Each structure stands twice: as C-alpha cells, then as structure tokens.
C-alpha cells in the first residue's frame, strides 16, 4: 500500500523552446547549468516527456533529502538523456540505458552536455527490459544506489518485462524513483503491481500534468 502524503507541485517552465527544421533542440536549465537536448523525430524514446521534467525538478530542489553525490545511479529508458544529465550535474556516477535505436541520440546529448563538467562521466549502455539482465548486469557486480525511471509506463506490451527489470535492479539499499503520467487503467494497474512488490511512497504529484513521482524500496523481511 502507498505511504505518506505527497507534496503537490507544478512542472516549472524552465526551458526555452527553439525550433529548427529537422531536429528540435530544447534548452533547459537545471542546477545552474544550461542543458541542450536534441530530440529525434523518428523515435518515441527521443522526446522529453513530462515525467523526466518532474523528476529533474524534484532532484534539483531536494538535494538534501536525495543526495546523489558520488552515488551509483542507473536510468532505465533514458530516452533523450535529460534526467541522466541532471543526475550527473548533481554529482552521481550515472549509467543511462535504453533500446539500441535510441542510444546514438542519447550518447550525443549526454556527451555534449557533460564533456566540460568536472563530474563523473556518464556511461551509456544498451538495456532491453527483461532481456539479458543476469548476463549484462550481474547482481554480484552491479549495485545501484538509485534507479531512475520516467514515463516508462504507457501503452506498450513490455510492462511485465519492465517490472522484472525493476525487481532485478532494486536490491536492499536501492531506491527506485519513478515518475509517470497517470492517464489509463493500465498505468494504475502497473502502480498496483509495484506497490504489491515494493514499499511504495508517493513523493510528489504534479496534477496539471497528471504526473506522480513515486519512491519504491525492497521489502526486507
């Protein structure tokens, strides 16, 4: 069951839209840094969705409660990389993952926005939910302090694989931060499954955007 009463927030317009003919380049500012994101029109994962804005904003504003400095952070479904870049700026060792076809744009955005920073350089890796987890990310070697996931739940057939991926990475001591737009019954059904497996708290709600930000940890008994 869900614990706690969430803080009610709105997603701040801290970006300046710029439109070019072929690619959209969006300019954001988080934690005092200008971030330029190239969106790809060919791929669903290559657009900045509201959950990424919501979690980026929350991490920027709550650095004492959620201290990412020198922590190991994994983002699943990183898309354009905005959130991974913000986590890097906040001092984390970031691994950004997504499907193979998204990695080129993801790598481009991450390297271009972090190359001049005196921070841990993020790593970009392929991760198909539910596939090859034990081979590519064996639990004996890979332990993460935080798993970040934004807008990973929408109309797709991979929800069971997504849940299996969350379970694989969410070990004792790991915090899963998941921000998502909640519109459909499938979104709430997935939330129910997460709540059945993990200790789940709603940290924040962004009612204007229908976004909820959840924190989940492994039940240790």
């Amino acid at each position: 069951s869900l614990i706690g009463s969430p803080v009610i927030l709105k997603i701040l317009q801290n970006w300046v839209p710029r439109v070019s003919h072929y690619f959209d380049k969006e300019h954001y500012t988080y934690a005092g840094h200008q971030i330029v994101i190239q969106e790809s029109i060919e791929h669903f994962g290559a657009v900045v969705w509201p959950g990424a804005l919501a979690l980026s904003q929350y991490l920027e504003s709550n650095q004492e409660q959620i201290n990412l400095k020198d922590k190991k952070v994994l983002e699943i479904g990183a898309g354009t990389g905005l959130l991974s870049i913000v986590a890097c700026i906040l001092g984390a060792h970031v691994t950004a993952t997504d499907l193979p076809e998204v990695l080129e744009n993801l790598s481009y955005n991450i390297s271009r926005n972090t190359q001049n920073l005196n921070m841990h350089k993020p790593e970009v890796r392929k991760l198909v939910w539910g596939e090859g987890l034990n081979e590519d990310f064996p639990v004996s070697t890979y332990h993460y302090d935080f798993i970040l996931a934004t807008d990973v739940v929408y109309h797709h057939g991979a929800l069971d694989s997504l849940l299996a991926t969350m379970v694989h990475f969410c070990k004792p001591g790991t915090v899963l931060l998941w921000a998502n737009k909640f519109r459909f019954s499938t979104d709430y059904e997935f939330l129910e499954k997460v709540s059945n497996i993990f200790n789940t708290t709603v940290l924040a709600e962004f009612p204007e955007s229908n976004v909820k930000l959840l924190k989940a940890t492994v039940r240790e008994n």
Side-chain angles (χ1 to χ4, degrees), residues 27-150:
H27 296 237
Y28 301 85
T29 308
Y30 286 102
H33 290 75
Q34 171 118 34
I35 302 170
V36 182
I37 294 293
Q38 173 171 286
E39 299 188 334
S40 160
I41 45 181
E42 288 101 75
H43 299 300
F44 210 45
V47 177
V48 175
W49 297 98
L53 299 174
L55 185 47
S56 295
Q57 180 177 319
Y58 192 86
L59 291 173
E60 173 189 50
S61 312
N62 295 276
Q63 294 177 49
E64 281 166 24
Q65 298 91 309
I66 301 174
N67 178 11
L68 296 186
K69 191 155 173 47
D70 300 325
K71 299 292 196 301
K72 289 196 167 63
V73 171
L74 174 76
E75 184 177 8
I76 57 174
T80 60
L82 174 66
L83 180 59
S84 280
I85 293 161
V86 172
C88 168
I89 290 168
L90 295 174
H93 291 271
V94 178
T95 303
T97 68
D98 212 315
L99 298 169
E101 60 268 25
V102 177
L103 294 186
E104 191 183 351
N105 194 54
L106 173 60
S107 300
Y108 173 79
N109 282 331
I110 285 184
S111 60
R112 132 180 218 169
N113 285 286
T114 60
Q115 62 194 5
N116 300 323
L117 293 181
N118 186 21
M119 309 286 184
H120 310 295
K121 290 284 167 267
E123 188 185 359
V124 176
R125 289 188 60 179
K126 179 190 85 164
L127 195 165
V128 181
W129 298 336
E131 290 182 22
L133 295 174
N134 294 322
E135 296 76 28
D136 296 343
F137 295 91
V139 173
S140 53
T141 318
Y142 293 94
H143 181 277
Y144 295 96
D145 301 297
F146 292 92
I147 309 299
L148 308 181
T150 64

